[in-house]
Amino acid sequence: MRVRSVLSVTVLAGGLALFLQPAGAAVSEVRQSSAVITDVVEYQCTTTGATEKQNIKVKVEMTMPATATTGEQMSIGWQGTYADGTGLKAPATGLTADTSLYAYASISGLTGLTSATGVGTPGTVDANQVIPLPTAPVSLSTTSSNAGTATVRPAALNFGTAANAPSIKCAVQNQAALTTYPLTVTAADQTGTETETGTDTGTETDTGTEPETETEPETGGNGRVQQTPSGPAATGGGGERGPDGRMFLLTGSLLILTATTGLLLRRRAWR
């Protein structure tokens, strides 16, 4: 008898616990982190006033933004170190203290957006000495007016006192072999629309004044008149409309299940 009672209570409690789970149960949200690309970029560098070109290799690490929105400035991280024992040498005149490094990323796939640019400081360099690359990451900035998905690659590397007047220009030689990474730009107005339409103000209520439709009475087999219910069934639309009918259905089903289980155990006990 004790086993049958415990089993019945367990079945009933388990069913009610499953049904009464909070409707707004929290779902863990996994945010997309930024992606990092590392490539060895082969450059051929031309120095103003020098006929000899220099071939260097730079290990470039690019950090793509986790999110990007139209009309807002985005930032792509760039950090480079010389690879395979190569190094770019300063011209015979050296580099002055106001010389900057201009790093570029090529962007394709979005109308009106072709590149991102960042500025670093190598510092003063004597004649024919290797020009140091910035140790801190360089932020390549750009802004897209259009939403969509683009592909990004490392691009040119220049040195000079102004972006439009470089004294050393380094062009990529192995662009086709470089890794590409998708950059997704989301329209700014999409975020605002989702926020507004996704808010439930709770102002729409059912007053319960919907008129019921009269139906013709039906005569049962015993000659009595049966009234056919009209209008929608009351399903418990809110706190003011009574309990949800599904609760009664579930409770009844669980009671039937409990009774059936007890009968089976009782029948086995008789045997």
Side-chain angles (χ1 to χ4, degrees), residues 4 10 13 17 28 70 72 131 133 142 170 181 211 238 240 249 271:
R4 182 167 63 250
T10 302
S28 59
T70 56
E72 297 182 4
I131 302 172
L133 299 177
T142 189
C170 300
Y181 191 82
E240 298 181 356
L249 292 177
R271 292 181 180 179

Side-chain angles (χ1 to χ4, degrees), residues 22-83:
V27 179
S28 59
E29 179 181 357
V30 180
R31 293 185 177 182
Q32 180 183 0
S33 60
S34 59
V36 177
I37 315 168
T38 301
D39 268 316
V40 175
V41 185
E42 299 176 4
Y43 288 104
Q44 186 174 81
C45 303
T46 304
T47 302
T48 302
T51 57
E52 185 179 356
K53 300 181 184 297
Q54 299 183 61
N55 294 316
I56 62 172
K57 293 182 179 180
V58 179
K59 182 180 180 181
V60 176
E61 182 179 279
M62 298 184 68
T63 306
M64 309 305 297
T67 58
T69 306
T70 56
E72 297 182 4
Q73 188 178 78
M74 71 184 81
S75 178
I76 300 173
W78 183 99
Q79 189 163 20
T81 55
Y82 291 116

Side-chain angles (χ1 to χ4, degrees), residues 181-264:
Y181 191 82
L183 172 66
T184 302
V185 180
T186 305
D189 56 351
Q190 289 183 356
T191 304
T193 302
E194 291 177 0
T195 302
E196 294 176 1
T197 58
T199 302
D200 186 2
T201 60
T203 56
E204 293 185 3
T205 57
D206 189 351
T207 59
T209 58
E210 181 180 353
E212 296 185 356
T213 304
E214 293 290 339
T215 56
E216 294 293 332
E218 296 181 1
T219 305
N222 55 4
R224 296 180 180 179
V225 176
Q226 298 178 348
Q227 181 68 33
T228 303
S230 61
T235 58
E240 298 181 356
R241 297 177 61 185
D244 195 332
R246 292 175 295 178
M247 175 63 75
F248 294 108
L249 292 177
L250 177 63
T251 303
S253 299
L254 290 176
L255 291 175
I256 294 174
L257 177 61
T258 301
T260 303
T261 303
L263 290 175
L264 289 176

Side-chain angles (χ1 to χ4, degrees), residues 105-151:
S106 65
I107 303 175
S108 58
L110 283 176
T111 304
L113 184 63
T114 58
S115 65
T117 309
V119 182
T121 304
T124 303
V125 183
D126 294 333
N128 300 318
Q129 296 299 310
V130 174
I131 302 172
L133 299 177
T135 56
V138 177
S139 179
L140 312 185
S141 301
T142 189
T143 303
S144 177
S145 301
N146 300 299
T149 301
T151 53

